[in-house]
C-alpha cells in the first residue's frame, strides 16, 4: 500500500452537479465581438490587455471576485480568437494560462496601472511587456442570478504606453445572458465570491522569490505520468518530481485559500520534524516515498504550492499530526511562517531558489 499524505483537508460533501461554463462562453463571445469592433479604431500594432472585470453591485463597493477572473479569462480567449480570425494587426497581451497563478495574488489586476505598485504587477503579469491600451469593465448580477450583464466597458490608454493621449473609447451594445438553468445559477453564485484575504505572513511567503540557480519540477500522477494541465482530481494520488542540480535543502509548502475552517499552510516536505530534508543532486519525488491526495470539496477551488531549494539549512517550525487513519497533516501555522520569513529575509537570496504553481481542484478529469 502506498503511503499517503493528506492535504486539502476541508471536509465537506462533494457537490454532485456538473458546472456549466457555457453561460460565460456565450456572454464573452458577444462582448468580444463588440470590443474587437472598437479595437479596430486603435493605431495599428497597438498592444492591448484586459483588466479583470469587477462585480458591479448597487449596494456596495465593486468587488474583486473569482467570477471576475473566470469571465476575463474567457473574454481574453474570445478577443484573441477574433483578432486572429480577422488577421488584425493588434497584439493582445494576456496570459493564455492564468490558472497557474494564485487568484488571491491577482487583485492588482482589477485596475489599470496608475501607480508604481500596479505598474509593477502588470509588468510581471504581462511577462515584462508594456500594454498601450487597457480594456476595462464590470459585470452585474440581476435578480436571483436570473441574468448576468456586462457594464461600463471601455478601452483606456495606458499613461505609461505609447499612446497616452489617445481618447477613451466606450463600448456600446447591451451584452447580457439570461439564466434559466438552476445549475448555471449555482455555478455563478459559487464563483461570485470575493477573493480571500491572505494574512500578511502567508502573503509574503507566497510572493517570496529567491535569486538562486534554477531547478525543475514536474507534477505527476501516482503512475509517474506528467500532468498536462492544472487540474487535480479529488481522490486521486499525486506527487511532485523535483530535479536539483546539486544537493540542497528542500521545503515545499501547500496552501488552500478556500479552507475557511483551517486557513493554514501545510507542509508537503518535510512533513515530520525528524525528517532530514537534504536531498542529493538528481530527481526526487515530493514527498519522497509518499503520494498526496486531494480531498473534497472539488468545486474548482485553487490550491497552491511554493517550493524552496536552499544551499544552506533554514530553521523551520511546524506541527505534524497523525489522524485516526494514520494520515499525516503537517500544519504550518502563521506564527511558524513569520519565524521562517525572519530566517530567509536575513539570508543571501542567491543561496535560495523558489518556484510557485497553482492548481484547480475538481471532482472530474
Amino acid at each position: 500500500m502506498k503511503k499517503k499524505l493528506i492535504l486539502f483537508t476541508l471536509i465537506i460533501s462533494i457537490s454532485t452537479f456538473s458546472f456549466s461554463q457555457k453561460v460565460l462562453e456565450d456572454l464573452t463571445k458577444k462582448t468580444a465581438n463588440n470590443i474587437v469592433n472598437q479595437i479596430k479604431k486603435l493605431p495599428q500594432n497597438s498592444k492591448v490587455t484586459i483588466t479583470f472585470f469587477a462585480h458591479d453591485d448597487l449596494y456596495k463597493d465593486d468587488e474583486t471576485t473569482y467570477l471576475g477572473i473566470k469571465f476575463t479569462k474567457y473574454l481574453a480567449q474570445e478577443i484573441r480568437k477574433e483578432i486572429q480570425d480577422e488577421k488584425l494587426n493588434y497584439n493582445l497581451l494576456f496570459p493564455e494560462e492564468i490558472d497557474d497563478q494564485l487568484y488571491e495574488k491577482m487583485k492588482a489586476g482589477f485596475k489599470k496601472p496608475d501607480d508604481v505598485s500596479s505598474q509593477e504587477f502588470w509588468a510581471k503579469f504581462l511577462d515584462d511587456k508594456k500594454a498601450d491600451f487597457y480594456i476595462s469593465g464590470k459585470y452585474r448580477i440581476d435578480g436571483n442570478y436570473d441574468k448576468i450583464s456586462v457594464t461600463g466597458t471601455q478601452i483606456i490608454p495606458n499613461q505609461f504606453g505609447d499612446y497616452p493621449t489617445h481618447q477613451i473609447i466606450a463600448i456600446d451594445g447591451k451584452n447580457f445572458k439570461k439564466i434559466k438553468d438552476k445549475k448555471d445559477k449555482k455555478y455563478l453564485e459559487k464563483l461570485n465570491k470575493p477573493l480571500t484575504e491572505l494574512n500578511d505572513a502567508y502573503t509574503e511567503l507566497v510572493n517570496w522569490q529567491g535569486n538562486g540557480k534554477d531547478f525543475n519540477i514536474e507534477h505527476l500522477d501516482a503512475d509517474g505520468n506528467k500532468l498536462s494541465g492544472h487540474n487535480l482530481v479529488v481522490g486521486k494520488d499525486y506527487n511532485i518530481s523535483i530535479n536539483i542540480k546539486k544537493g540542497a535543502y528542500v521545503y515545499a509548502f501547500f496552501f488552500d485559500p478556500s479552507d475557511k475552517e483551517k486557513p493554514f499552510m501545510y507542509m508537503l516536505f518535510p512533513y515530520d520534524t525528524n525528517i532530514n530534508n537534504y536531498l542529493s543532486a538528481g530527481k526526487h519525488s515530493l514527498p519522497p516515498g509518499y503520494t498526496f491526495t486531494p480531498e473534497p470539496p472539488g468545486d474548482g477551488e485553487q490550491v497552491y504550492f511554493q517550493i524552496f531549494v536552499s544551499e544552506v539549512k533554514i530553521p523551520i517550525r511546524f506541527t505534524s499530526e497523525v489522524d485516526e487513519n494514520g494520515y499525516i497533516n503537517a500544519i504550518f501555522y502563521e506564527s511558524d511562517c513569520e519565524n521562517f520569513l525572519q530566517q530567509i529575509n536575513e539570508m543571501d537570496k542567491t543561496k535560495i531558489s523558489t518556484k510557485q504553481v497553482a492548481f484547480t481542484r475538481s471532482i472530474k478529469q
Side-chain angles (χ1 to χ4, degrees), residues 7-8 252-256 264-268 303-305:
L7 298 174
F8 316 82
F253 304 91
F254 163 79
F255 188 54
D256 179 0
F264 314 122
M265 274 192 173
Y266 290 83
M267 298 300 303
L268 183 65
V303 293
Y304 183 83
F305 295 91

Side-chain angles (χ1 to χ4, degrees), residues 141-195:
I141 302 293
D142 293 325
N144 186 23
Y145 290 87
D146 299 315
K147 183 173 77 171
I148 179 171
S149 306
V150 180
T151 66
T153 311
Q154 297 178 313
I155 302 177
I156 304 171
N158 179 12
Q159 64 178 351
F160 304 108
D162 293 338
Y163 308 99
T165 61
H166 196 283
Q167 68 178 11
I168 296 174
I169 301 176
I171 309 297
D172 296 324
K174 296 180 179 179
N175 295 317
F176 64 89
K177 177 75 175 177
K178 291 185 178 180
I179 308 162
K180 297 180 180 179
D181 197 313
K182 288 184 178 180
K183 70 175 181 292
D184 289 339
K185 294 183 178 184
K186 189 70 174 176
Y187 170 67
L188 294 179
E189 184 179 3
K190 290 183 73 67
L191 285 177
N192 194 35
K193 298 288 191 298
L195 299 186

Side-chain angles (χ1 to χ4, degrees), residues 38-53:
Q38 299 302 317
I39 285 178
K40 296 174 183 177
K41 298 178 181 179
L42 301 179
Q44 291 290 305
N45 298 311
S46 295
K47 298 182 291 295
V48 185
T49 191
I50 312 175
T51 61
F52 294 108
F53 278 45

